[in-house]
């Protein structure tokens, strides 16, 4: 019976989806902003500010789109984001949940 199912089970029945979330950092950290996103080599950053994690993610996705022979897994994307942020001097460690 539907009444005996947990809320989570009923949600899975009604919304058959798999959800992945990128977080900008660990729970005990704060996500950084970037005052000039040009360092991330986006197609048209126009020198605007933005979140460091979001900007790293966009750089990776733009590169993936440019090379259609490459297909990244979620784990590969998060590792590339961590590497990019670390090399750019950011302490935050993006998470995948």
């Amino acid at each position: 019976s539907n009444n005996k199912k947990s809320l989570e089970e009923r949600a899975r029945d009604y919304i058959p989806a798999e959800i992945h979330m990128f977080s900008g950092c660990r729970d005990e950290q704060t996500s950084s902003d970037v005052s000039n996103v040009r360092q991330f080599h986006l197609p048209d950053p126009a020198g605007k500010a933005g979140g460091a994690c979001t900007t790293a993610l966009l750089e990776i996705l733009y590169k993936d789109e440019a090379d259609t022979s490459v297909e990244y897994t979620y784990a590969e994307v998060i590792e590339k984001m961590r590497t990019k942020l670390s090399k750019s001097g950011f302490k935050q460690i993006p998470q995948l949940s």
Side-chain angles (χ1 to χ4, degrees):
S1 156
N2 202 24
N3 292 338
K4 294 182 181 181
K5 288 184 176 181
S6 71
L7 178 60
E8 185 176 334
E9 290 171 321
R10 286 182 292 167
R12 244 181 275 139
D13 290 344
Y14 290 116
I15 309 167
E18 188 173 320
I19 299 169
H20 300 275
M21 182 180 82
F22 290 101
S23 300
C25 61
R26 290 183 173 166
D27 289 344
E28 69 275 5
Q29 297 178 313
T30 55
S31 290
S32 299
D33 287 329
V34 179
S35 59
N36 184 341
V37 299
R38 286 193 189 278
Q39 73 188 48
F40 286 87
H41 312 289
L42 298 178
D44 185 21
K48 297 179 183 173
C53 183
T54 301
T55 307
L57 174 62
L58 287 173
E59 179 182 342
I60 292 158
L61 295 179
Y62 281 127
K63 284 182 182 177
D64 181 46
E65 185 176 302
D67 184 354
T68 57
S69 69
V70 176
E71 292 283 331
Y72 294 132
T73 65
Y74 288 108
E76 290 170 328
V77 170
I78 199 80
E79 284 301 317
K80 288 180 177 297
M81 290 168 64
R82 289 174 178 172
T83 299
K84 175 63 183 177
L85 289 169
S86 178
K87 286 183 177 179
S88 298
F90 294 97
K91 303 286 187 224
Q92 69 192 69
I93 303 169
Q95 303 296 300
L96 176 64
S97 56

